[in-house]
Amino acid sequence: MSVLVETKPAARRPLGVLAALPEELGDLIAAMRENGGMRTVTHGRRDYHVGSVHGVPCVVTLARIGKVAAAATVSALIHAFDVEAIVFAGVAGGVGRAVRIGDIVVSDALLQHDLDASPLFPRYEVPLLGVSRFNADPSLAARLADACERFVAEEGAMLAARFGTQLPRVHRGLVISGDRFVASAAEVEALRDALPDALAVEMEGAAIAQVCYEYGVPCAVVRTISDTADAHAAASFETFLSEIAGTYSAGILSRFLRDYAVT
Ligand code: SAH
């Protein structure tokens, strides 16, 4: 005799969405709260907002600044919240010569520019892991880039007029991370010389990518360019963060999540 067992479809595991600073999440937490059913779990001095937004079950949190903070947060997202993938949104300094303030960089690969255990290990290589460039998940990065392209096509002219920037462009390539706010022409020039294909510099991405690599969790990183990592960087960063970053993050993440919800 056969027994028909009715099984409930397995609930979808949540997506981890994070940024370093609140402005970099745009209206995401508010949208999640409005959607209803959001609960906030405090763990390791961070607030993890668990719920659903734009049709996707998510855990949304702030990593704060730097590689250790980012690695610790991603580790918690993986172990305490069982996320299926991780997306980071934020701002960065432009390094590539064609990368301008207001442009968007979606990373294909990430590297820690301040990691140097030479001569024991090659420069930039994570000791005992044998990797210097961590790849973003190709499908996640492609969908994030697609959301950025749609955002720029639909809102780019308005953004440029409103913020006095040029028409934003979307770049894809290497993002470099280190525990330094890069804010001098000499330092950004040295990074360009050492890593000619670097497009943007920030302080979290490669740490996130390393943890995700070690645990086999897909990840992707999107960065809006807030400054050009030179002597004007601090002022440009502050203005961009307070006035512009949230508009970009909201526009990009809402498009990305609506697409993610149906696939
Ligand atoms: N003064 C700020 C600290 C900003 S650190 C404060 O107290 O809040 C800069 C943040 O933006 C980091 O999270 C980093 O990832 C990103 N970032 C933007 N421009 C950067 C640059 N030129 N160099 C390094 N990180 C940059």
Side-chain angles (χ1 to χ4, degrees), residues 8 11 25 42 58-59 67 84 98 107 127 129 152 161 168 173 253 256:
K8 274 209 314 200
L25 279 179
T42 303
C58 284
V59 183
K67 294 193 300 177
E84 67 173 15
S107 73
L129 195 61
V152 166
L253 289 173
F256 170 77

Side-chain angles (χ1 to χ4, degrees), residues 106-118:
V106 176
S107 73
D108 287 326
L110 301 107
L111 167 149
Q112 296 173 46
H113 69 77
D114 59 350
L115 205 165
D116 186 2
S118 61

Side-chain angles (χ1 to χ4, degrees), residues 19-21 23-24 64-66 88 90-94 113 176 178-184 201-205 223-230 233-234 237-238 241:
L21 300 161
E23 295 86 342
E24 295 175 313
R64 300 205 294 265
I65 295 168
F88 185 102
V91 298
H113 69 77
I176 57 175
D179 282 323
R180 293 182 59 76
F181 183 72
V182 179
S184 81
V201 62
E202 37 86 311
M203 302 176 67
E204 299 84 17
R223 294 280 183 175
T224 305
I225 301 304
S226 56
D227 60 88
T228 41
D230 53 14
F237 164 82
E238 299 285 358
L241 187 72

Side-chain angles (χ1 to χ4, degrees), residues 161-220:
R162 180 164 157 210
F163 300 128
T165 49
Q166 284 162 297
L167 200 63
R169 291 180 301 200
V170 181
H171 308 264
R172 291 189 60 175
L174 179 67
V175 169
I176 57 175
S177 315
D179 282 323
R180 293 182 59 76
F181 183 72
V182 179
S184 81
E187 198 174 341
V188 71
E189 200 54 56
L191 288 173
R192 265 184 211 124
D193 286 347
L195 297 159
D197 58 336
L199 296 180
V201 62
E202 37 86 311
M203 302 176 67
E204 299 84 17
I208 292 164
Q210 179 181 335
V211 175
C212 285
Y213 171 86
E214 295 196 39
Y215 289 103
V217 174
C219 78

Side-chain angles (χ1 to χ4, degrees), residues 75-167:
S75 180
L77 281 171
I78 294 170
H79 295 108
F81 297 95
D82 193 30
V83 295
E84 67 173 15
I86 285 177
V87 171
F88 185 102
V91 298
V95 176
R97 292 199 187 278
V99 177
R100 302 180 301 211
I101 292 173
D103 283 359
I104 303 170
V105 174
V106 176
S107 73
D108 287 326
L110 301 107
L111 167 149
Q112 296 173 46
H113 69 77
D114 59 350
L115 205 165
D116 186 2
S118 61
L120 303 176
F121 297 92
R123 182 83 208 263
Y124 309 120
E125 186 174 298
V126 177
L128 309 177
L129 195 61
V131 181
S132 54
R133 291 179 182 230
F134 295 92
N135 291 326
D137 179 72
S139 147
L140 216 50
R143 289 156 73 179
L144 203 47
D146 181 63
C148 295
E149 295 286 2
R150 282 185 282 127
F151 173 59
V152 166
E154 288 160 20
E155 314 235 359
M158 178 280 286
L159 294 170
R162 180 164 157 210
F163 300 128
T165 49
Q166 284 162 297
L167 200 63

